[in-house]
């Protein structure tokens, strides 16, 4: 009897140790980043490949998985990859922006370690250094729900990742020289779909996607382009929207969908038509010049016959097109009955009942400084601080050597936005404040903004200029929780979020010409407690660069 009791106790002790030490699953990846010849529009040029691929390898994972990516930089330039839409809870060290990390130098490697914490949905990665985004280097991050959390639709027969966007035939180094010389890179040369471009009637050996009759497929679509909004439609097949940037949506059906730069969404498509080929069509939106477009073949298995040349018409352009697109945005609703992760803190999905503690009104502008093109937010055009990332300077207590906080006011101080200061744009923000951000676009071109580290509630888009009484038009019930927002010409957009993720986080234009020339800022969200409950310490493998290399290590955060 004594022996049996001892065995049971010993077993319980062993089990308790296993439970304590158990972690969420780990997924390991090894990526080799190289140059390679690519020709998305038929013109060969130097592109950036990952493991020889464009798009790069997929990260197929499940919510709460730990992701470990060992990146070998075999380019001749420094490199960083960012994980667009992954919130990096307490971990801006892994965000992959020039303000938070030293770059991976040529011929070296760095291992990113992060967790896709309480997230589901469609995201993507891409390079943030120089003009590397114009050369490729992008790929999919598909975060699935855990088995215990059902999704609000049946499992599809298969999932397809679709990367769309504009493309330039000059090559990224030539584009960089143009911007460094003070000029705009101008109109793109065309549109690609997964790094390829076809016209109606082109003969292709292999389709881009294949479907079987009677089955339903999930298409995860992302706009990884440089500056151009697009419209996506599939010949003869309506699309049921089910997810957008990490949130399940009310499942409306669309004949076509606008997809703005940096944005991702998922649609379900059922193969219920005559078995043959069909075109997926991607066309540019809101360009002053003639429309750009590309097609891809979707083939039914055992189908017979080519795709018809009779394509579905694109949405209207000009003023009518903006009204059409705004109405489509307003039709997007968060699916509040779906079982899925909610934005932190718990309960904040009742965001309409939370008092706003601070409002940022951000107005973009285009001007010249010393004869060179610059883009700015509230009159501040962001520039890097030599070789030291801002987050490292902050962690080492060396900010006074590199930048001043809050050069940019919370709202424009003058209507003359041509008066521009070129300097690091770092805004202090209060930890756990519930804030409202207004993006006001007084220019004639569409904008898209993205906020790292968070999702926000996209509560309104309207023409004209914002004023406090516009709040009565906000959707305070079921606005989609997402990480990017488009702002139409001469219009404004409003978002709300809780700044509960400690770290340094990039708010940027997704138009990469604008990002490169200053249309971005960083929010410094510091926890007064300096506790590991709020933010992780500097990782052991994190490289040091710039002025912090010679400084003593600061005291680590404590539990």
């Amino acid at each position: 009897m004594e022996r049996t009791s001892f065995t049971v106790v010993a077993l319980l002790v062993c089990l308790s140790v296993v439970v304590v030490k158990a972690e969420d699953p780990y997924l390991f990846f090894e990526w080799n980043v190289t140059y390679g010849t690519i020709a998305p529009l038929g013109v060969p040029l130097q592109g950036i490949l990952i493991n020889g691929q464009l798009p790069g390898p997929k990260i197929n994972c499940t919510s709460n998985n730990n992701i470990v990516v060992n990146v070998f930089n075999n380019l001749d330039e420094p490199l960083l990859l960012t994980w667009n839409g992954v919130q990096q809870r307490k971990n801006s060290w892994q965000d992959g922006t020039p303000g938070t990390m030293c770059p991976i130098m040529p011929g070296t490697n760095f291992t990113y370690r992060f967790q896709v914490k309480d997230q589901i949905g469609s995201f993507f990665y891409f390079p943030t250094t120089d003009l590397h985004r114009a050369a490729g280097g992008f790929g999919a991050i598909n975060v699935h729900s855990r088995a215990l959390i059902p999704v609000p639709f049946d499992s599809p027969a298969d999932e397809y990742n679709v990367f769309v966007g504009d493309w330039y035939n000059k090559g990224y180094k030539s584009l960089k020289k143009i911007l460094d010389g003070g000029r705009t890179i101008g109109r793109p040369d065309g549109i690609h779909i997964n790094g390829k471009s076809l016209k109606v009637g082109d003969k292709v050996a292999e389709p881009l996607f294949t479907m079987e009759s009677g089955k339903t497929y999930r298409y995860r679509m992302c706009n990884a382009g440089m500056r151009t909004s697009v419209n996506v439609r599939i010949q003869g097949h309506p699309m049921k929207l089910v997810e957008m940037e990490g949130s399940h949506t009310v499942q409306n059906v669309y004949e076509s969908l606008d997809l703005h730069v940096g944005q991702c969404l998922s649609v379900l498509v059922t193969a219920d038509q005559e078995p043959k080929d069909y075109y997926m069509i991607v066309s540019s939106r809101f360009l002053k010049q003639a429309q750009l477009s590309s097609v891809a073949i979707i083939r039914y298995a055992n189908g017979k016959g080519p795709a018809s040349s009779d394509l579905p018409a694109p949405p209207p352009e000009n003023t009518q097109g903006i009204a059409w697109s705004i109405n489509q945005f307003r039709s997007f609703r968060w699916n509040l009955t779906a079982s899925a992760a909610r934005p932190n803190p718990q309960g904040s999905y009742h965001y309409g009942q939370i008092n706003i503690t601070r409002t940022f009104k951000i107005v973009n502008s285009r001007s010249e400084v010393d004869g060179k093109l610059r883009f700015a937010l509230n009159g501040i055009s962001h520039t890097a601080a030599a070789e030291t990332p801002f987050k490292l300077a902050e962690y080492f207590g060396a900010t006074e050597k590199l930048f001043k906080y809050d050069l940019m006011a919370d709202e424009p101080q003058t209507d003359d936005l041509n008066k521009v200061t070129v300097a690091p744009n770092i805004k202090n923000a209060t930890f756990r404040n519930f804030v409202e951000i207004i993006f006001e676009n007084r220019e004639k071109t569409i904008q898209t903004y993205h906020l790292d580290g968070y999702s926000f509630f996209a509560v309104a888009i309207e023409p004209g200029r914002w004023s406090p009484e516009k709040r009565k038009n906000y959707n305070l019930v079921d606005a989609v929780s997402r990480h990017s927002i488009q702002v139409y010409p001469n219009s404004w957009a409003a978002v709300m979020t809780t700044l509960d993720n400690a770290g340094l986080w990039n708010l940027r234009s997704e138009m990469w010409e604008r990002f490169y020339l200053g249309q971005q800022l960083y929010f410094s969200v510091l926890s007064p407690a300096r506790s590991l409950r709020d933010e992780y310490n500097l990782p052991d493998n994190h490289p040091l660069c710039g002025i912090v290399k010679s400084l003593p290590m600061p005291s680590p955060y404590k539990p």
Side-chain angles (χ1 to χ4, degrees):
M1 187 72 179
E2 291 179 1
R3 192 171 187 179
T4 303
S5 300
F6 176 80
T7 304
V8 171
V9 170
L11 179 60
L12 289 173
V13 169
C14 289
L15 286 174
S16 68
V17 170
V18 170
V19 170
V20 169
K21 294 201 171 190
E23 288 188 79
D24 291 305
Y26 278 77
L27 298 180
F28 296 88
F29 303 87
E30 186 170 293
W31 290 356
N32 185 25
V33 183
T34 62
Y35 292 120
T37 301
I38 58 175
L41 304 182
V43 177
L45 49 82
Q46 185 185 64
I48 294 177
L49 308 179
I50 301 180
N51 293 353
Q53 305 172 38
L54 182 72
K58 295 178 188 176
I59 296 179
N60 263 323
C61 57
T62 300
S63 177
N64 282 20
N65 281 175
N66 292 285
I67 310 300
V68 182
V69 188
N70 192 2
V71 178
F72 290 83
N73 178 15
N74 288 297
L75 308 181
D76 58 6
E77 299 173 332
L79 172 73
L80 282 174
L81 294 174
T82 195
W83 320 92
N84 208 57
V86 176
Q87 292 180 18
Q88 305 287 1
R89 301 298 301 179
K90 307 194 296 184
N91 197 19
S92 63
W93 305 112
Q94 306 291 320
D95 197 34
T97 59
T100 57
M101 296 181 64
C102 303
I104 309 169
M105 300 306 291
T108 68
N109 69 298
F110 175 76
T111 302
Y112 290 91
R113 294 182 176 90
F114 58 90
Q115 188 176 27
V116 284
K117 183 71 173 173
D118 294 332
Q119 288 191 263
I120 57 94
S122 306
F123 313 101
F124 71 105
Y125 60 84
F126 67 90
T128 56
T129 32
D130 279 338
L131 259 290
H132 290 152
R133 179 163 171 164
F138 53 78
I141 307 172
N142 300 335
V143 185
H144 300 268
S145 288
R146 287 170 284 173
L148 294 176
I149 304 177
V151 297
F153 51 88
D154 293 334
S155 296
D158 206 345
E159 294 189 347
Y160 295 127
N161 285 98
V162 185
F163 284 95
V164 300
D166 52 19
W167 194 263
Y168 291 80
N169 285 331
K170 290 186 176 69
Y172 84 91
K173 290 185 178 180
S174 297
L175 295 175
K176 182 177 183 296
K177 287 181 180 178
I178 291 171
L179 293 180
D180 290 343
R183 296 174 292 131
T184 177
I185 58 176
R187 171 186 169 91
D189 294 297
I191 301 290
H192 75 88
I193 305 174
N194 280 8
K196 300 176 182 178
S197 180
L198 294 176
K199 300 300 180 187
V200 172
D202 286 352
K203 294 183 178 180
V204 292
E206 296 293 333
L208 199 56
F209 308 109
T210 301
M211 301 194 297
E212 294 184 22
S213 290
K215 294 185 177 180
T216 297
Y217 296 79
R218 181 176 186 172
Y219 287 79
R220 297 177 182 260
M221 303 177 179
C222 295
N223 186 338
M226 290 284 286
R227 65 181 295 175
T228 307
S229 298
V230 299
N231 180 267
V232 183
R233 48 205 184 274
I234 300 176
Q235 197 176 43
H237 293 76
M239 300 174 290
K240 180 184 290 187
L241 182 68
V242 294
E243 177 260 329
M244 179 176 288
E245 298 179 15
S247 292
H248 291 130
T249 59
V250 172
Q251 296 178 11
N252 296 326
V253 175
Y254 300 88
E255 296 298 322
S256 72
L257 282 162
D258 278 356
L259 188 58
H260 306 279
V261 182
Q263 296 183 352
C264 297
L265 52 80
S266 290
V267 297
L268 297 181
V269 177
T270 299
D272 57 1
Q273 299 297 306
E274 176 189 352
K276 65 185 190 74
D277 287 356
Y278 293 88
Y279 284 122
M280 172 183 286
I281 307 101
V282 180
S283 56
S284 61
R285 296 285 276 151
F286 315 118
L287 287 182
K288 294 180 181 179
Q289 301 91 344
Q291 189 178 76
L292 302 172
S293 66
S294 181
V295 298
I297 294 292
I298 297 177
R299 178 166 294 168
Y300 276 56
N302 302 317
K304 298 178 181 179
S308 168
S309 60
D310 184 15
L311 302 183
E317 285 289 333
N318 303 321
T319 304
Q320 285 185 332
I322 292 172
W324 184 96
S325 195
I326 290 177
N327 284 335
Q328 185 173 87
F329 163 83
R330 290 171 177 165
S331 73
F332 300 149
R333 290 289 189 267
W334 202 16
N335 188 342
L336 298 180
T337 63
S339 297
R342 298 293 189 193
N344 288 328
Q346 291 298 317
S348 69
Y349 52 93
H350 295 300
Y351 62 94
Q353 301 171 22
I354 305 174
N355 291 328
I356 297 167
T357 54
R358 190 174 181 183
T359 296
F360 301 95
K361 180 182 176 183
I362 298 175
V363 181
N364 52 275
S365 63
R366 170 182 175 146
S367 58
E368 288 190 355
V369 178
D370 297 329
K372 292 187 175 183
L373 178 65
R374 296 295 302 186
F375 297 97
L377 299 173
N378 290 1
I380 305 297
S381 184
H382 175 81
T383 186
E387 299 178 352
T388 310
F390 306 113
K391 178 61 179 173
L392 281 177
E394 196 171 64
Y395 189 73
F396 278 80
T399 56
E400 72 282 353
K401 299 179 180 180
L402 294 179
F403 63 88
K404 295 181 180 179
Y405 290 103
D406 298 320
L407 286 182
M408 189 191 86
D410 285 7
E411 61 182 60
Q413 300 301 289
T414 173
D415 277 343
D416 184 5
L417 296 174
N418 288 318
K419 294 180 180 179
V420 170
T421 299
V422 179
N425 195 356
I426 317 295
K427 288 288 291 180
N428 267 318
T430 304
F431 186 49
R432 294 188 176 135
N433 264 12
F434 187 71
V435 302
E436 171 189 49
I437 306 175
I438 312 299
F439 299 102
E440 191 172 277
N441 179 18
R442 301 177 188 176
E443 298 185 61
K444 297 179 180 179
T445 56
I446 192 169
Q447 312 288 319
T448 306
Y449 291 95
H450 165 88
L451 177 59
D452 279 352
Y454 298 93
S455 60
F456 50 61
F457 300 98
V459 295
I461 293 178
E462 287 190 359
R465 295 195 180 184
W466 182 86
S467 58
E469 60 267 19
K470 298 290 185 179
R471 292 186 179 119
K472 68 179 183 296
N473 299 331
Y474 287 4
N475 175 359
L476 296 180
V477 177
D478 59 356
V480 177
S481 174
R482 53 192 304 184
H483 57 74
S484 71
I485 187 75
Q486 71 270 19
V487 194
Y488 298 93
N490 298 307
S491 301
W492 58 269
V495 304
M496 294 174 163
T497 192
T498 301
L499 298 177
D500 65 333
N501 193 11
L504 191 77
W505 304 107
N506 191 218
L507 173 67
R508 60 176 174 263
S509 171
E510 283 289 302
M511 278 62 173
W512 220 243
E513 173 185 61
R514 289 176 170 268
F515 170 87
Y516 185 80
L517 294 180
Q519 196 168 312
Q520 57 169 309
L521 61 84
Y522 286 87
F523 280 119
S524 174
V525 185
L526 294 178
S527 165
R530 289 183 60 86
S531 169
L532 289 175
R533 290 171 297 177
D534 300 327
E535 185 175 11
Y536 297 138
N537 281 311
L538 177 73
D540 292 339
N541 73 325
H542 202 292
L544 301 180
C545 54
I547 64 171
V548 303
K549 290 181 70 174
S550 59
L551 298 178
M553 287 295 296
S555 299
Y557 299 146
K558 298 180 179 179

